[in-house]
Amino acid sequence: MLTIKNLHVKLEDEDKQILKGVDLTVEAGKVHAIMGPNGSGKSTLSYVLSGRDGYEVTDGSATLEGEDLLEMEPEERAAAGLFLAFQYPVEIPGVGNMTFLRTAVNAQRKARGEDEISAGDFLKLVREKAKTLKIDAEMLKRPVNVGFSGGEKKRNEILQMAMLEPKMCILDETDSGLDVDAMKLVSDGVNALRDAGRGFLVITHYQRLLDHIKPDVVHIMADGRIVKTGGPELALEVEKNGYADILNEVA
Amino acid sequence: MAVAQQAKQDLTESRITALDLPQGGVWGNAARADALARLRAMGLPTRRDEYWKFTDPTSLTQVAAPRAALFEAKDEGPIFDGVDRLRVVFVDGVFDPEQSDDLSLSGVEIERLSDAMARDIHWAREFYGKLETAGQVPVVRPLAALNTAFAQDGIVIRATGKAEKPVSIIYLHRSENSDAILHHVVRVEEGAELTVLENGPAAARFNKCMEISVADRGTFHHLRAQGRDHERRAATHMFARLGEESVYKSFTLTVNGVLTRNEHVIELTGDDAIAHVAGAAMGDARTHPYHHDDTVFITHDAERCESRQVFKKVLRNGAEGVFQGKILVKPGAQKTDGYQISQALLLDEEASFQAKPELEIYADDVKCSHGSTTGAIDETALFYLRARGVPRETATDLLVLAFIDEAISEIEDERLANDIRVRLQMWLERRRRG
């Protein structure tokens, strides 16, 4: 599904290397988690994959089902099936949540040569998916993320994911700013989307999200590289002993 | 300075000489003669005048109207089409009774200006040119004086009750060289309610003046969509005087146009009066220049009045925007609530916006605020939309509409506001298709 090879990335504006050779493959139907201390390059990886400005790829490649992601515009990556759940979902005053969702769904369908979804079908689908995430009609009517609490913003991200049905989902610290109940809601939303045809890359600081979204593979990232890969037990080890042991071990 | 003065005088005289002073009726002739004398005394504007620092008036004052090609919108119907309204049609500045509805409406009297002037005793006699004259202080507005003197046509409207439906003035443009000067007079009597809609390009060059007097507890709503002919030019003036507890609300949408200068001169003379003026302007100078100027002067001369100015502009490819807005609070106008915001969204480095917000306050117990911002598109929001699959151009349009909607939402009538929104969407879609 997602194949990253020897990815080197620096900041566009300064001479600072962030990713120093990342190798990672996420298979369809699998959930991979990336853990790592602050500043290890986890969020940068998610931004580079989704096409945010400000980064320069100096070496390596990233493909989605064989298609070169790095050559595509952000909207093309989305249409190809990549989805990034933002760590800090953006507030967009003046753009209604429903308008935003419908525009996004239809833009992706159009890019794939499919017909636009009818207004009636769309409404039905949104209501159904919103209900399971406990997003009420009022939230759907409001401008995108404006006045939403931290938990509401994250639930809104998962709603978008559910509507867009991407092939590859990247969750960037989706647990940050969530209380226990909200974490459960969000995780349930993600788990409902787990599917044999869909890959997940879950970026997180803490193990607790992984109690809810059970990973198949856990990677530890440090200083711009994946330094250790293992099963779910690796996350527990981090939880117990912190990153220091692992980092010392690989140093 | 003497040379400049002479040049101004020559400019004014050559313009006057090229125009015919319409004749008709004792009071009409007198008002025109008075305006002509005032015009001669002040002279037509030039770029040297402070009030025209950001907008070059040359094409508005030169003898012949510059040619303007006609815009054919094949893929959209006329605006306000779904609104039940009384249609008053002008073609290149001349009233067209054939295309207009019968000018009878419950709660309203409507007449052609020339018919009103033909009668020695007519209510409009006390209003024609009066607010325009008052509006010449402290800043002169020579194009308005020229209008009062030389107006070729116009209508006078008197609302005596609640108007049954809006009066919709439609300006059609059929000749590439037309030079239209129209003057309308509106009187809203005590407790009466009237809505006036205006739309269309009117002419290659359009000079329009509307004088609106709203008596105590009267309500006047004004909604305007200026025509989309790329090469048209317009200088418009709205002069309003508001009585006690009266309401004046005006909104203007401007897309396209080589040159547009919209002036509002509003005097709040009765306690507890309300004046709201809003405007949304969208300009893309890719194929034709675009220059849009909103100039507003609001005078608070009574207690507890509220005024509000909300102007938004979206500019690209070298389009130019100007805002000159002033709130003057006279001594004794206590408890004034004045608000003014002008904002421009510049979509590239070629677009420009000049703003001159001013407050002049001579009362000590007032609340006045003003703000002006110029900014680029929010890149973070743009990326967020694109990351969800919305192409850059569509995402930009969404953010543009969101930005400008703060001005559109000033329109009270939701249906009319939606008409404006639909127009903007169509304009954006057409622009995107190139």
Side-chain angles (χ1 to χ4, degrees), chain A residues 185-245:
Chain A
L185 258 181
V186 164
S187 305
D188 288 349
V190 172
N191 288 330
L193 288 165
R194 287 181 77 155
D195 179 277
R198 186 170 287 140
F200 284 87
L201 186 59
V202 180
I203 296 171
T204 181
H205 271 296
Y206 306 106
Q207 199 271 336
R208 63 182 181 157
L209 179 66
L210 304 179
D211 285 341
H212 300 283
I213 306 172
K214 300 248 187 292
D216 299 293
V217 184
V218 174
H219 307 274
I220 305 298
M221 193 164 180
D223 194 26
R225 283 185 199 91
I226 304 282
V227 294
K228 190 167 184 179
T229 296
E233 72 286 350
L234 192 52
L236 295 170
E237 194 187 322
V238 168
E239 181 74 4
K240 204 170 140 205
N241 304 325
Y243 290 111
D245 284 1

Coordinates of all heavy atoms in Angstrom, one line a residue, chain A residues 185-245:
Chain A
L185 N -14.3 7.3 21.5 CA -15.1 7.6 20.4 C -14.3 7.6 19.1 O -14.7 7.0 18.1 CB -15.7 9.0 20.5 CG -17.2 9.1 21.0 CD1 -17.6 10.6 21.1 CD2 -18.1 8.4 20.0
V186 N -13.2 8.3 19.1 CA -12.3 8.5 18.0 C -11.8 7.1 17.6 O -11.8 6.7 16.4 CB -11.2 9.5 18.3 CG1 -10.1 9.3 17.2 CG2 -11.7 10.9 18.3
S187 N -11.3 6.3 18.5 CA -10.8 5.0 18.2 C -11.8 4.1 17.6 O -11.6 3.4 16.7 CB -10.2 4.4 19.5 OG -9.3 5.2 20.1
D188 N -13.0 4.1 18.2 CA -14.1 3.3 17.6 C -14.4 3.7 16.2 O -14.6 2.8 15.3 CB -15.4 3.5 18.4 CG -15.3 2.9 19.8 OD1 -14.4 2.1 20.0 OD2 -16.2 3.1 20.6
G189 N -14.3 5.0 15.9 CA -14.5 5.5 14.5 C -13.4 4.9 13.6 O -13.7 4.5 12.5
V190 N -12.2 4.9 14.1 CA -11.1 4.4 13.3 C -11.2 2.9 13.1 O -11.1 2.4 12.0 CB -9.7 4.8 14.0 CG1 -8.6 4.1 13.2 CG2 -9.5 6.3 14.0
N191 N -11.5 2.2 14.2 CA -11.6 0.8 14.1 C -12.7 0.3 13.2 O -12.6 -0.7 12.5 CB -11.9 0.2 15.5 CG -10.6 0.2 16.4 OD1 -9.5 0.2 15.8 ND2 -10.8 0.4 17.7
A192 N -13.8 1.1 13.1 CA -14.9 0.8 12.2 C -14.4 0.8 10.7 O -15.0 0.2 9.9 CB -16.0 1.8 12.4
L193 N -13.4 1.6 10.5 CA -12.9 1.7 9.1 C -11.8 0.7 8.8 O -11.3 0.6 7.6 CB -12.3 3.2 8.9 CG -13.3 4.3 8.8 CD1 -12.7 5.6 9.0 CD2 -14.1 4.2 7.5
R194 N -11.4 0.0 9.8 CA -10.4 -1.1 9.5 C -10.9 -2.1 8.5 O -12.1 -2.5 8.7 CB -9.9 -1.7 10.8 CG -9.1 -0.8 11.6 CD -8.6 -1.5 12.9 NE -7.5 -2.4 12.7 CZ -6.6 -2.8 13.6 NH1 -6.7 -2.3 14.8 NH2 -5.7 -3.6 13.3
D195 N -10.1 -2.4 7.5 CA -10.6 -3.1 6.4 C -9.4 -3.8 5.7 O -8.3 -3.2 5.7 CB -11.3 -2.1 5.5 CG -11.9 -2.7 4.2 OD1 -11.2 -2.9 3.3 OD2 -13.1 -3.0 4.2
A196 N -9.7 -4.9 5.1 CA -8.6 -5.6 4.4 C -7.9 -4.8 3.3 O -6.8 -5.0 3.0 CB -9.1 -6.9 3.8
G197 N -8.7 -3.8 2.8 CA -8.1 -3.0 1.7 C -7.5 -1.7 2.1 O -7.1 -0.9 1.3
R198 N -7.4 -1.5 3.4 CA -7.0 -0.2 3.9 C -5.8 -0.3 4.8 O -5.8 -1.1 5.7 CB -8.2 0.5 4.6 CG -8.1 1.9 5.0 CD -9.4 2.5 5.5 NE -10.3 2.7 4.4 CZ -11.6 2.5 4.4 NH1 -12.1 2.0 5.5 NH2 -12.3 2.8 3.3
G199 N -4.9 0.6 4.7 CA -3.7 0.7 5.5 C -3.8 1.9 6.5 O -4.4 2.9 6.2
F200 N -3.2 1.7 7.7 CA -3.2 2.8 8.7 C -1.8 3.1 9.2 O -1.0 2.1 9.4 CB -4.1 2.5 9.9 CG -5.5 2.6 9.6 CD1 -6.3 1.5 9.1 CD2 -6.2 3.8 9.9 CE1 -7.6 1.6 8.9 CE2 -7.6 3.9 9.7 CZ -8.3 2.8 9.2
L201 N -1.5 4.3 9.3 CA -0.2 4.7 10.0 C -0.6 5.6 11.1 O -1.1 6.7 10.9 CB 0.7 5.4 9.0 CG 2.1 5.7 9.4 CD1 2.9 4.5 9.8 CD2 2.9 6.5 8.3
V202 N -0.4 5.1 12.3 CA -0.8 5.9 13.5 C 0.4 6.5 14.2 O 1.2 5.7 14.7 CB -1.6 5.0 14.5 CG1 -2.1 5.8 15.7 CG2 -2.8 4.3 13.8
I203 N 0.5 7.8 14.2 CA 1.6 8.4 14.8 C 1.2 8.9 16.2 O 0.2 9.6 16.4 CB 2.0 9.7 14.0 CG1 2.5 9.2 12.6 CG2 3.1 10.5 14.7 CD1 2.8 10.4 11.7
T204 N 2.0 8.5 17.2 CA 1.6 8.9 18.6 C 2.8 8.9 19.5 O 3.8 8.2 19.3 CB 0.5 7.9 19.1 OG1 0.1 8.4 20.4 CG2 1.0 6.5 19.2
H205 N 2.7 9.7 20.6 CA 3.7 9.7 21.6 C 3.5 8.6 22.6 O 4.4 8.1 23.2 CB 3.5 11.0 22.4 CG 4.2 12.2 21.9 ND1 5.6 12.2 21.9 CD2 3.8 13.4 21.5 CE1 6.0 13.4 21.4 NE2 4.9 14.1 21.1
Y206 N 2.2 8.3 22.8 CA 1.9 7.4 23.9 C 1.3 6.1 23.5 O 0.6 6.0 22.5 CB 0.9 8.2 24.9 CG 1.4 9.5 25.3 CD1 0.8 10.7 24.8 CD2 2.4 9.6 26.2 CE1 1.3 11.9 25.1 CE2 2.9 10.9 26.6 CZ 2.3 12.0 26.0 OH 2.8 13.2 26.4
Q207 N 1.4 5.2 24.4 CA 0.9 3.9 24.1 C -0.6 3.8 24.3 O -1.3 3.0 23.6 CB 1.5 2.9 25.1 CG 1.5 1.5 24.8 CD 0.2 0.8 25.3 OE1 -0.4 1.3 26.3 NE2 -0.3 -0.2 24.6
R208 N -1.2 4.8 25.0 CA -2.6 4.6 25.4 C -3.6 4.5 24.2 O -4.5 3.8 24.2 CB -3.1 5.6 26.5 CG -3.0 7.0 26.0 CD -3.4 7.9 27.1 NE -3.4 9.2 26.5 CZ -4.0 10.3 26.8 NH1 -4.8 10.3 27.9 NH2 -3.9 11.4 26.2
L209 N -3.3 5.3 23.2 CA -4.1 5.2 22.0 C -4.1 3.8 21.4 O -5.1 3.3 20.8 CB -3.6 6.3 20.9 CG -4.4 6.3 19.6 CD1 -5.9 6.8 19.8 CD2 -3.7 7.2 18.6
L210 N -2.9 3.2 21.5 CA -2.7 1.9 20.9 C -3.5 0.8 21.7 O -3.6 -0.4 21.2 CB -1.3 1.5 20.8 CG -0.5 2.6 19.9 CD1 1.0 2.2 19.9 CD2 -1.1 2.8 18.6
D211 N -4.0 1.1 22.9 CA -4.8 0.2 23.6 C -6.2 0.1 22.9 O -6.8 -0.9 22.9 CB -5.1 0.7 25.0 CG -3.9 0.5 26.0 OD1 -3.1 -0.3 25.6 OD2 -3.8 1.2 27.0
H212 N -6.5 1.2 22.3 CA -7.8 1.2 21.5 C -7.7 0.9 20.1 O -8.5 0.1 19.5 CB -8.4 2.6 21.6 CG -8.7 3.1 23.1 ND1 -9.8 2.6 23.8 CD2 -8.0 3.9 23.9 CE1 -9.8 3.2 25.0 NE2 -8.7 4.0 25.1
I213 N -6.7 1.4 19.4 CA -6.4 1.0 18.1 C -5.2 0.1 18.1 O -4.1 0.5 18.2 CB -6.1 2.3 17.2 CG1 -7.2 3.3 17.3 CG2 -5.9 1.9 15.7 CD1 -6.9 4.7 16.7
K214 N -5.5 -1.2 18.0 CA -4.5 -2.2 18.2 C -3.6 -2.3 16.9 O -4.1 -2.6 15.8 CB -5.1 -3.6 18.5 CG -5.9 -3.6 19.7 CD -5.2 -4.4 20.8 CE -6.1 -4.6 22.0 NZ -6.3 -3.4 22.8
P215 N -2.3 -2.0 17.0 CA -1.4 -2.0 15.9 C -0.9 -3.4 15.5 O -0.8 -4.3 16.4 CB -0.3 -1.1 16.3 CG -0.2 -1.3 17.7 CD -1.6 -1.6 18.3
D216 N -0.6 -3.6 14.3 CA 0.0 -4.9 13.9 C 1.5 -4.8 14.0 O 2.2 -5.7 14.4 CB -0.3 -5.2 12.5 CG -1.8 -5.4 12.3 OD1 -2.3 -6.4 12.8 OD2 -2.4 -4.6 11.6
V217 N 2.0 -3.6 13.7 CA 3.5 -3.3 13.7 C 3.7 -2.0 14.4 O 3.0 -1.0 14.3 CB 4.0 -3.3 12.3 CG1 5.6 -3.1 12.3 CG2 3.6 -4.5 11.5
V218 N 4.8 -1.9 15.3 CA 5.1 -0.7 15.9 C 6.6 -0.3 15.5 O 7.5 -1.2 15.5 CB 5.0 -0.8 17.5 CG1 5.5 0.4 18.2 CG2 3.6 -1.1 17.9
H219 N 6.7 0.9 15.1 CA 8.1 1.4 14.8 C 8.5 2.5 15.8 O 7.6 3.3 16.2 CB 8.1 2.1 13.4 CG 7.5 1.2 12.3 ND1 8.3 0.3 11.6 CD2 6.2 1.1 11.8 CE1 7.5 -0.3 10.7 NE2 6.3 0.2 10.8
I220 N 9.7 2.5 16.1 CA 10.2 3.6 16.9 C 11.1 4.5 16.0 O 11.9 4.1 15.3 CB 11.1 3.1 18.1 CG1 10.4 2.1 18.9 CG2 11.6 4.3 18.9 CD1 9.1 2.6 19.6
M221 N 10.7 5.8 16.1 CA 11.4 6.8 15.3 C 12.3 7.7 16.1 O 11.8 8.1 17.2 CB 10.4 7.6 14.5 CG 11.1 8.4 13.4 SD 9.8 9.0 12.2 CE 10.7 9.8 11.1
A222 N 13.5 7.9 15.7 CA 14.4 8.8 16.5 C 15.3 9.5 15.5 O 15.9 8.8 14.6 CB 15.2 8.0 17.5
D223 N 15.5 10.8 15.7 CA 16.4 11.5 14.9 C 16.3 11.2 13.4 O 17.3 11.0 12.6 CB 17.9 11.2 15.3 CG 18.9 12.3 14.7 OD1 18.4 13.4 14.4 OD2 20.0 11.9 14.5
G224 N 15.1 11.2 12.9 CA 14.8 11.1 11.5 C 14.9 9.8 10.8 O 15.0 9.6 9.6
R225 N 15.0 8.7 11.7 CA 15.0 7.4 11.1 C 14.1 6.4 12.0 O 13.9 6.7 13.1 CB 16.5 6.8 11.3 CG 17.4 7.3 10.2 CD 18.8 6.6 10.4 NE 19.8 7.4 9.8 CZ 20.6 8.3 10.4 NH1 20.4 8.5 11.7 NH2 21.5 9.0 9.7
I226 N 13.8 5.3 11.3 CA 13.1 4.3 12.1 C 14.2 3.4 12.7 O 15.1 2.9 12.0 CB 12.3 3.3 11.2 CG1 11.3 4.1 10.3 CG2 11.6 2.2 12.0 CD1 10.0 4.5 11.0
V227 N 14.3 3.4 14.1 CA 15.4 2.8 14.7 C 15.1 1.4 15.2 O 16.0 0.6 15.5 CB 16.0 3.6 15.9 CG1 16.6 4.9 15.3 CG2 14.9 3.9 16.9
K228 N 13.8 1.1 15.4 CA 13.4 -0.2 15.8 C 12.0 -0.6 15.4 O 11.1 0.3 15.3 CB 13.5 -0.3 17.3 CG 13.4 -1.7 17.9 CD 13.8 -1.9 19.3 CE 13.7 -3.3 19.7 NZ 14.1 -3.5 21.1
T229 N 11.8 -1.8 15.0 CA 10.5 -2.2 14.6 C 10.1 -3.5 15.3 O 11.0 -4.4 15.4 CB 10.5 -2.4 13.0 OG1 10.7 -1.2 12.4 CG2 9.1 -3.0 12.5
G230 N 8.9 -3.6 15.7 CA 8.5 -4.8 16.4 C 7.0 -5.0 16.4 O 6.3 -4.3 15.7
G231 N 6.5 -5.8 17.3 CA 5.1 -6.0 17.4 C 4.5 -5.1 18.5 O 5.2 -4.2 19.0
P232 N 3.2 -5.3 18.8 CA 2.5 -4.4 19.8 C 3.3 -4.3 21.1 O 3.2 -3.3 21.8 CB 1.2 -5.1 20.0 CG 1.0 -5.9 18.8 CD 2.3 -6.4 18.3
E233 N 4.1 -5.4 21.4 CA 4.8 -5.4 22.7 C 5.8 -4.3 22.8 O 6.1 -3.8 23.9 CB 5.5 -6.8 23.0 CG 6.7 -7.1 22.1 CD 6.4 -7.4 20.6 OE1 5.2 -7.6 20.3 OE2 7.3 -7.4 19.8
L234 N 6.3 -3.8 21.7 CA 7.2 -2.7 21.6 C 6.6 -1.4 22.2 O 7.3 -0.6 23.0 CB 7.7 -2.4 20.2 CG 8.9 -1.5 20.0 CD1 10.1 -2.0 20.8 CD2 9.3 -1.5 18.5
A235 N 5.4 -1.2 22.0 CA 4.7 0.0 22.5 C 4.6 -0.1 24.0 O 4.8 0.9 24.7 CB 3.3 0.1 21.9
L236 N 4.4 -1.3 24.5 CA 4.3 -1.5 26.0 C 5.6 -1.3 26.6 O 5.7 -0.7 27.7 CB 3.8 -2.9 26.3 CG 2.3 -3.2 25.8 CD1 2.0 -4.7 25.9 CD2 1.3 -2.4 26.6
E237 N 6.7 -1.7 25.9 CA 8.0 -1.5 26.4 C 8.3 0.0 26.6 O 8.9 0.5 27.6 CB 9.0 -2.1 25.4 CG 10.4 -2.3 26.0 CD 11.3 -2.8 24.9 OE1 10.9 -3.6 24.1 OE2 12.5 -2.3 24.9
V238 N 7.9 0.8 25.6 CA 8.1 2.3 25.6 C 7.3 2.8 26.8 O 7.8 3.6 27.6 CB 7.6 2.9 24.3 CG1 7.5 4.4 24.5 CG2 8.5 2.6 23.2
E239 N 6.1 2.3 27.0 CA 5.2 2.8 28.0 C 5.9 2.6 29.4 O 5.8 3.4 30.3 CB 3.9 2.1 28.0 CG 2.8 2.5 29.0 CD 2.3 3.9 28.7 OE1 2.6 4.5 27.7 OE2 1.5 4.4 29.6
K240 N 6.5 1.4 29.5 CA 7.1 1.0 30.8 C 8.4 1.7 31.0 O 8.7 2.3 32.1 CB 7.3 -0.5 30.8 CG 7.3 -1.1 32.1 CD 7.3 -2.6 32.0 CE 8.2 -3.2 33.1 NZ 8.7 -4.6 32.6
N241 N 9.3 1.7 30.0 CA 10.6 2.2 30.3 C 11.0 3.5 29.6 O 12.1 4.0 29.7 CB 11.6 1.1 29.8 CG 11.4 -0.2 30.4 OD1 11.0 -0.3 31.6 ND2 11.5 -1.3 29.7
G242 N 10.1 4.1 28.8 CA 10.4 5.3 28.1 C 11.3 5.0 26.9 O 11.6 3.8 26.6
Y243 N 11.7 6.0 26.2 CA 12.4 5.8 25.0 C 13.9 5.6 25.2 O 14.6 5.0 24.4 CB 12.3 7.0 24.0 CG 10.9 7.2 23.5 CD1 10.0 8.2 23.8 CD2 10.5 6.2 22.5 CE1 8.8 8.3 23.3 CE2 9.2 6.3 22.0 CZ 8.3 7.4 22.4 OH 7.1 7.4 21.9
A244 N 14.4 6.0 26.4 CA 15.9 6.1 26.6 C 16.5 4.7 26.4 O 17.5 4.6 25.7 CB 16.1 6.6 28.0
D245 N 15.9 3.6 26.9 CA 16.5 2.3 26.8 C 16.6 1.9 25.4 O 17.7 1.4 25.0 CB 15.6 1.3 27.5 CG 15.7 1.4 29.1 OD1 16.5 2.2 29.5 OD2 15.0 0.6 29.8

